[in-house]
Amino acid sequence: RYDLALSFQNESLELFQKEGSKADMAFVMENIGSIYEDLGRYDSAFFFFQSSYRYNLAAEDSLALIGSFNNLGDVFRKSGQQDSALFY
C-alpha cells in the first residue's frame, strides 16, 4: 500500500525536519525515493534520492553515501541511462 507508506514517510519527514536531524531526514528521503522507484516514477525517485544524498553529505555519513550512490545509479539504470548509471 504505497499511498499509506508515503503518508507515514511524509509524516516522519515533517517530524525530523522540525528536529533538524540530517541523518534521519536522509533516511526518510531514501525511503520515499524507494517507494517512487517501486512505482516506476523515476523522476520523483531521483529527486528524493538526490535529497537523501545531500543530507547524508551534510551529516558526513560516508557509509550512508554508499547507499545514496547505489540508489541514484539504479534510477538511471531503470530509466535507460546506462552511462549515468555506471558513473554512480
Side-chain angles (χ1 to χ4, degrees), residues 26 29-30 34 37 45-58 60-78 81-88:
M29 291 281 193
E30 181 178 358
S34 293
E37 183 181 16
F46 179 81
F47 172 82
F48 284 98
F49 288 149
Q50 189 175 49
S51 296
S52 177
Y53 164 78
R54 289 181 181 145
Y55 282 117
N56 282 324
L57 195 61
E60 300 179 350
D61 189 340
S62 59
L63 291 177
L65 282 170
I66 294 167
S68 294
F69 289 130
N70 181 67
N71 287 325
L72 289 165
D74 279 349
V75 168
F76 282 117
R77 179 181 56 83
K78 290 179 179 179
Q81 300 175 55
Q82 302 307 323
D83 290 340
S84 295
L86 287 172
F87 174 80
Y88 285 96

Side-chain angles (χ1 to χ4, degrees), residues 5-24:
L6 279 172
S7 176
F8 286 135
Q9 292 299 322
N10 283 313
E11 188 176 328
S12 296
L13 184 59
E14 286 180 29
L15 294 171
F16 291 134
Q17 284 173 330
K18 289 177 185 174
E19 291 178 8
S21 175
K22 291 179 176 66
D24 290 327

